[in-house]
């Protein structure tokens, strides 16, 4: 089978490993610098081709994977003056960012007359899983479109779930992150209350670990709490706040109340407002503790 030319934009913490796996699996790969040149230089040394703009990438690729921060960045890459759509060629965009579902569905409708297909395929797990090729992917799109990009997704995924039409992948990702950011807020507050009562984090962990409330998210979170491992869960608090803001907009558009979501968003908003947005999510526990006078 002839493999399609694949482009990749967004070589951040997740994107570096994803792109490397596409290249390792034998797909012709084009990359461009978005924020950091180092991953580009590494991938080019391994056989990737560097391009200067999204438009140039679209002129050579049949599939372009995006792994940028969110909807504003996706729109800039796709619809900007030198964006993907400016090339005027039929192709498929796979948006692995955590984006606003309402923006995703509108963008897909706008691109369809230009023979550009948008598939949303957001991710779950960590940069270590991206490098290992074991990410979880929630993919939204028509059956035929999903089948077309499935072999590319398999390069960096251990589990792929087709959630339904375009937009459902990003919806499911928001729900997934609501749960995970909710856990982070709960852990942080529970640790602070325990410390106030004289319970050390090690005692807290000895009760939770191995019990019904244990899970992989808990384990990576507590690698920071107990071991101070900064690489345990490399997801910025500012991104958690962004995702919870998308969830709030989604709930408003649906006309429903989500009081727990609002509380989780506020926990992240406070940390961002205090200048801690670049900290990783497990470090929310430090912020909540410090705000209440404990370590």
């Amino acid at each position: 089978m002839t493999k399609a030319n694949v482009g990749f934009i967004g070589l951040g913490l997740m994107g570096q490993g994803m792109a490397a796996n596409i290249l390792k699996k034998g797909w012709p790969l084009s990359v461009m610098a978005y924020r950091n040149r180092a991953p580009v230089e590494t991938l080019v040394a391994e056989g990737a081709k560097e391009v200067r703009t999204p438009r140039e990438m679209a002129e050579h690729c049949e599939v372009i994977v995006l792994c940028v921060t969110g909807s504003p960045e996706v729109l800039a890459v796709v619809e900007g003056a030198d964006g993907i759509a400016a090339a005027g060629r039929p192709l498929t965009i796979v948006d692995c960012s955590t984006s606003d579902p309402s923006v995703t569905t509108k963008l897909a409708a706008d691109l369809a007359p230009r023979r550009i297909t948008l598939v949303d395929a957001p991710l779950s797990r960590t940069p270590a899983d991206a490098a290992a090729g074991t990410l979880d992917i929630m993919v939204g799109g028509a059956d035929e479109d999903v089948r077309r990009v499935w072999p590319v997704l398999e390069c960096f995924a251990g589990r792929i779930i087709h959630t339904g039409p375009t937009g459902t992948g990003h919806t499911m990702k928001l729900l997934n992150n609501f749960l995970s950011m909710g856990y982070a807020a709960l852990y942080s507050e529970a640790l602070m209350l325990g410390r106030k009562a004289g319970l050390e984090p090690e005692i807290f962990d000895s009760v939770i670990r191995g019990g019904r409330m244990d899970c992989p998210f808990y384990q990576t979170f507590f690698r920071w709490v107990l071991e101070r491992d900064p690489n345990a869960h490399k997801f910025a608090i500012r991104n958690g706040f962004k995702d919870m803001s998308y969830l709030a907009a989604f709930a408003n558009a649906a006309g429903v109340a989500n009081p727990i979501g609002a509380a989780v968003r506020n926990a992240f908003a406070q940390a961002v407002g205090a200048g801690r947005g670049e900290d990783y999510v497990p470090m929310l526990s430090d912020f909540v503790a410090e705000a209440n006078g404990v370590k």
Side-chain angles (χ1 to χ4, degrees):
M1 180 185 76
T2 302
K3 292 185 174 179
N5 292 306
V6 178
F8 201 106
I9 298 174
L11 300 170
L13 292 174
M14 299 290 272
Q16 295 179 44
M18 295 161 65
N21 277 305
I22 293 171
L23 195 59
K24 287 174 187 174
K25 299 294 174 61
W27 295 77
L29 182 68
S30 295
V31 295
M32 60 170 278
Y34 186 67
R35 288 180 176 172
N36 184 1
R37 277 210 57 81
V40 172
E41 292 168 1
T42 298
L43 290 165
V44 168
E46 294 172 355
K49 174 184 177 181
E50 182 178 4
V51 299
R52 295 167 299 171
T53 66
R55 176 175 182 165
E56 182 183 350
M57 183 177 286
E59 289 170 349
H60 301 286
C61 295
E62 289 75 51
V63 176
I64 297 179
V65 180
L66 307 182
C67 192
V68 294
T69 303
S71 293
E73 292 78 11
V74 170
L75 292 173
V77 165
V78 175
E79 296 195 315
D82 243 347
I84 292 170
R89 291 185 66 242
L91 55 85
T92 300
I93 298 170
V94 180
D95 181 11
C96 293
S97 318
T98 300
S99 297
D100 182 334
S102 65
V103 175
T104 299
T105 52
K106 183 180 184 303
L107 181 60
D110 292 344
L111 292 173
R114 291 179 270 181
R115 299 180 299 162
I116 299 174
T117 301
L118 177 62
V119 171
D120 53 321
L123 317 163
S124 182
R125 294 189 180 269
T126 67
D129 293 292
T134 55
L135 292 170
D136 291 346
I137 298 180
M138 299 145 266
V139 55
D143 290 348
E144 180 181 349
D145 299 328
V146 170
R147 279 195 298 270
R148 186 166 60 252
V149 301
W150 196 278
V152 177
L153 299 178
E154 285 182 318
C155 294
F156 48 83
R159 190 167 66 124
I160 306 171
I161 299 170
H162 185 190
T163 53
T166 301
T168 59
H170 282 146
T171 299
M172 188 62 229
K173 173 61 174 174
L174 289 187
L175 300 179
N176 181 84
N177 279 21
F178 175 29
L179 295 178
S180 60
M181 297 306 102
Y183 275 140
L186 283 170
Y187 298 156
S188 298
E189 194 166 316
L191 283 164
M192 178 273 295
L193 287 167
R195 192 69 182 88
K196 279 280 190 181
L199 288 170
E200 298 289 344
E202 290 80 4
I203 297 299
F204 184 100
D205 179 67
S206 69
V207 172
I208 302 302
R209 190 175 297 270
R212 292 185 65 189
M213 300 310 297
D214 195 0
C215 66
F217 185 91
Y218 173 88
Q219 292 164 18
T220 56
F221 192 98
F222 268 72
R223 275 172 51 201
W224 167 254
V225 172
L226 298 178
E227 302 170 29
R228 312 313 275 178
D229 179 0
N231 298 313
H233 196 115
K234 295 171 75 172
F235 185 74
I237 287 174
R238 62 174 171 78
N239 284 334
F241 174 58
K242 180 261 298 181
D243 294 349
M244 292 303 93
S245 297
Y246 283 166
L247 180 75
F250 176 69
N252 287 339
V256 300
N258 66 323
I260 295 174
V264 173
R265 180 182 180 275
N266 285 340
F268 282 81
Q270 288 173 336
V272 171
R276 304 288 283 271
E278 297 304 317
D279 287 358
Y280 293 138
V281 162
M283 299 174 189
L284 182 67
S285 59
D286 296 336
F287 171 76
V288 171
E290 292 162 13
N292 288 278
V294 297
K295 291 185 179 180

